[in-house]
Amino acid sequence: MGMNMNDAASTTALAPKDYKSSVKPVWCPGCGDFSVLSAITKALAHMGLNPEDVAVVSGIGCSSRIPAYLNTYGFHGLHGRALPLATGLKVARPDLTVLVAGGDGDGFSIGGNHFLHACRRNIDLTYIVMDNQVYGMTKGQASPTTAPDWARSKMTPHGPGINPFHPLIIALGAGANFIARVSSHDPNGTAKTIVEAIRHPGFSFVHVLSPCVTYQPEQREWKKLVRPAPVEATSDAGRAARRLLTDDNLYLGVLYHGDRETYRPRFETTKVDPSQLEQEFII
Ligand code: SF4
């Protein structure tokens, strides 16, 4: 894309700091979510979007606090329900840029069903999931992306024992139109990918490796382990699927950019008399 996120603020009227609210984050020092917050503000500044033209919707969890830390419109919703909220908002206000933010517990467990159908529906949303493979806000239980032998939680003293959910495979299989993985240790790279995701029509999924330094302190090592994926982004879903066969969750970059038509529901202006509908259900 040829853009330098360090130069972004100088080419727009608003700087990244202008997208931050006066609310100070309560995350633990070193949490990866700080960097993702910074990346979102860099991306919005680079695009020159007015804060009143952006809405950020979330569910529940540490990363779902993000709307409070931004100066855009925001909605801190119910656990796992960010995507249906955002879907309704985008359908009603297609002029808004709608971002959805949250974690792996919120998005892939209680919100997993909504994730599948948001990918399938392909409404023009950008879904940023900060994955740290744990429920951080409720003090460290296994989440859908936790390794089977992760035995640190008292609730799963021998580990969850089941294979983790692979978010990119699910997103591709369910029909997401843009799929990428980034790492929070690189806020400029994350910002660049968020810009691409927002600009790409349809449902865009950005999987962020964002360490929970409190309950998964070894994730600090991700910074040394992540690396660019060995193959280029593709618009061929079959090629993307083959690439995922060798994905170890540490490859970064855009995996897939599809050209599926964005779903825009049609609104009929004809009013239906409810009593007519009632008649149809009489047996
Ligand atoms: Fe971040 Fe983990 Fe602390 Fe939550 S518990 S704020 S995810 S480091």
Side-chain angles (χ1 to χ4, degrees), residues 26-28 30-33 62-63 132 134 136-137 211-215:
V26 295
W27 294 316
C28 310
C31 176
D33 297 349
C62 296
S63 51
N132 51 25
V134 74
M137 201 174 76
C212 173
V213 295
T214 299
Y215 296 106

Side-chain angles (χ1 to χ4, degrees), residues 87-159:
T87 298
L89 177 60
K90 185 67 183 179
V91 167
R93 287 287 309 274
D95 54 307
L96 290 177
T97 295
V98 181
L99 309 184
V100 193
D104 43 295
D106 178 80
F108 303 148
S109 187
I110 190 169
N113 181 36
H114 297 304
F115 180 47
L116 292 179
H117 292 284
C119 293
R120 181 176 75 91
R121 201 171 282 122
N122 200 31
I123 283 176
D124 191 19
L125 301 169
T126 296
Y127 187 30
I128 301 165
V129 175
M130 285 146 270
D131 190 351
N132 51 25
Q133 304 171 354
V134 74
Y135 283 93
M137 201 174 76
T138 50
K139 302 203 178 300
Q141 298 82 23
S143 85
T145 52
T146 304
D149 57 352
W150 184 79
R152 201 167 298 145
S153 168
K154 287 181 184 161
M155 292 184 71
T156 50
H158 307 293

Side-chain angles (χ1 to χ4, degrees), residues 155-170:
M155 292 184 71
T156 50
H158 307 293
I162 46 178
N163 284 339
F165 190 98
H166 195 309
L168 272 62
I169 290 177
I170 302 290

